[in-house]
């Protein structure tokens, strides 16, 4: 975790803090194997616990999904609504549709695509281009769902509490799970 502080007044100190929350979006022990599942995870209590731990009474919490196939949203976290959201997203972007992104044998399709693979995979010693393509999932539907939902949320904090409604929750949506996911949380406040 990274933390910084700067004085504001005799009454308080502005605090800046960033850390990553790790969320397992599947059950059981060991490595999670993606199966193109959509799951929703209420992370509100973890975000509130961070605000509590930092002693923030007034400020802002900004959250960002750190994956291209997850999203963040604020809404009601009710079991039947969660099922409705999952079904809606599968209808919106069906996994079986013939998306161009899923034509792995045609990738990379440009010099820019190769440069990104090189920067994020080959140059980091993770493997060859062939190994990258072999491990790449068929998940265009998950990218599309994440783009529609969005990757970030900002929540005000007042009197030490997240300023969300009575029925609202901060929800991580994994559109290509199960996996271990991270959410970046930046807290600014006094």
């Amino acid at each position: 975790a990274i933390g910084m502080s700067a004085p504001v007044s005799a009454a308080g100190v502005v605090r800046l803090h960033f850390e990553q929350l790790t969320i397992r979006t599947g059950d059981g022990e060991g490595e999670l194997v993606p199966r193109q599942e959509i799951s929703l995870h209420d992370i509100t209590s973890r975000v509130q616990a961070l605000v509590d731990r930092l002693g923030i009474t007034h400020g802002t919490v900004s959250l960002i999904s750190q994956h291209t196939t997850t999203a963040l949203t604020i809404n009601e976290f009710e079991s039947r609504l969660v099922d409705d959201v999952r079904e809606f997203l599968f209808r919106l972007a069906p996994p079986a549709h013939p998306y161009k992104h899923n034509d792995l044998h045609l990738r990379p399709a440009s010099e820019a695509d190769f440069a990104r693979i090189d920067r994020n995979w080959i140059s980091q010693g993770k493997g060859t281009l062939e190994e990258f393509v072999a491990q790449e999932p068929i998940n265009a539907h998950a990218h599309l769902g994440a783009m529609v939902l969005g990757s970030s949320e900002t929540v005000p904090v007042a009197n030490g509490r997240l300023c969300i409604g009575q029925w609202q929750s901060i929800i991580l949506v994994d559109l290509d799970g199960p996996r271990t996911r991270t959410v970046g949380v930046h807290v600014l406040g006094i």
Side-chain angles (χ1 to χ4, degrees), residues 7 32 40 49 55 86 100 110 125 128 149 159 161 164 167 189:
L32 298 172
L40 287 77
R86 190 179 304 109
K100 291 176 177 64
S110 69
T128 65
L149 291 172
N159 299 317
R161 306 302 304 162
I164 56 176
W167 295 102

Side-chain angles (χ1 to χ4, degrees), residues 23-60:
I23 298 104
R24 280 179 60 93
T25 64
D27 297 325
E29 298 293 320
E31 186 177 344
L32 298 172
V33 179
R35 296 183 300 268
Q36 296 185 335
E37 293 178 359
I38 295 176
S39 58
L40 287 77
H41 307 272
D42 185 348
I43 63 171
T44 311
S45 63
R46 293 191 58 193
V47 176
Q48 182 63 57
L50 175 59
V51 169
D52 294 345
R53 181 169 52 85
L54 294 173
I56 300 297
T57 55
H58 298 282
T60 305

Side-chain angles (χ1 to χ4, degrees), residues 148-167:
V148 169
L149 291 172
S151 61
S152 64
E153 291 289 345
T154 301
V155 180
V157 175
N159 299 317
R161 306 302 304 162
L162 297 170
C163 294
I164 56 176
Q166 171 180 344
W167 295 102

Side-chain angles (χ1 to χ4, degrees), residues 120-182:
N120 294 311
W121 183 267
I122 300 168
S123 294
Q124 291 186 16
K126 294 179 180 178
T128 65
L129 175 61
E130 292 75 19
E131 291 168 320
F132 169 79
V133 171
Q135 64 79 45
E136 184 71 355
I138 304 295
N139 64 357
H141 70 286
H143 290 284
L144 295 170
M147 287 182 208
V148 169
L149 291 172
S151 61
S152 64
E153 291 289 345
T154 301
V155 180
V157 175
N159 299 317
R161 306 302 304 162
L162 297 170
C163 294
I164 56 176
Q166 171 180 344
W167 295 102
Q168 289 181 318
S169 295
I170 302 168
I171 302 169
L172 172 70
V173 183
D174 188 345
L175 296 136
D176 190 29
R179 298 176 188 238
T180 299
R181 302 302 202 156
T182 54

